[in-house]
Amino acid sequence: KGKHSRNAIIGTGKDQVLIMGAVDKVDAATNTISVLGRNLKLPSVARVEESLAGGHQLMVAVSGRISDSGTVEQMKLRFMPTGYVAGSSKVVVSGRVSDLDANVGTMIVNGITVDISSTKSAKAPTAGSLVLLVGTQPIRQGVVLAEQLYVK
């Protein structure tokens, strides 16, 4: 796999934003939050619960590196200064493609359906590809409309 096998997806070797989106679920028992199909463990979810209880639509960005298996390593999570707005806020999804339907231009990444019909990529994704994409999600926990797609 060579020295770049653990680098960020687009090959820079630097930490980059791998997931960005709304906090969809909070599990206080396990101190985890769910963002775009990823369960992320935190030291405490108290602050997240307080913000959500106050009616805020929390948006988080997770940076780090992605392993060959598609897991986030050296994770750093930060809360975005602005709230999440469905269909307007940019989201970032990364991981392995588990399913691809070239006929309709969709793929599944971390359980999230992604519409890639409006994107161009130097390399076409296949089932098993590591991808990073930027887009919008018109309905929370719904289909992500990809605007930019990077395939490793």
Side-chain angles (χ1 to χ4, degrees):
K1 296 263 179 182
K3 106 178 206 208
H4 296 292
S5 64
R6 299 178 77 132
N7 284 353
I9 293 174
I10 57 174
T12 63
K14 296 178 182 164
D15 287 356
Q16 68 178 54
V17 174
L18 299 173
I19 307 163
M20 187 168 70
V23 174
D24 294 320
K25 288 187 234 164
V26 179
D27 185 339
T30 59
N31 282 325
T32 57
I33 61 172
S34 177
V35 180
L36 292 166
R38 295 268 188 156
N39 291 321
L40 307 168
K41 186 143 180 71
L42 304 179
S44 170
V45 294
R47 181 176 159 204
V48 176
E49 288 182 310
E50 288 170 17
S51 293
L52 292 175
H56 299 287
Q57 296 296 313
L58 285 182
M59 185 153 177
V60 297
V62 177
S63 60
R65 297 181 185 182
I66 195 156
S67 71
D68 289 335
S69 67
T71 60
V72 176
E73 297 177 338
Q74 300 173 352
M75 180 180 89
K76 296 176 195 90
L77 182 137
R78 78 174 197 263
F79 291 90
M80 303 304 288
T82 57
Y84 175 80
V85 178
S88 176
S89 298
K90 296 291 183 207
V91 299
V92 176
V93 176
S94 65
R96 287 218 177 267
V97 176
S98 60
D99 194 19
L100 181 72
D101 187 340
N103 293 326
V104 292
T106 61
M107 65 183 179
I108 307 291
V109 181
N110 301 322
I112 301 289
T113 300
V114 179
D115 181 333
I116 57 171
S117 61
S118 299
T119 63
K120 289 183 172 47
S121 177
K123 183 177 174 185
T126 59
S129 295
L130 273 173
V131 298
L132 174 83
L133 61 96
V134 178
T136 58
Q137 191 177 35
I139 300 170
R140 282 198 43 190
Q141 299 180 347
V143 174
V144 170
L145 306 177
E147 297 167 4
Q148 299 171 11
L149 173 65
Y150 304 95
V151 180
K152 181 173 181 179

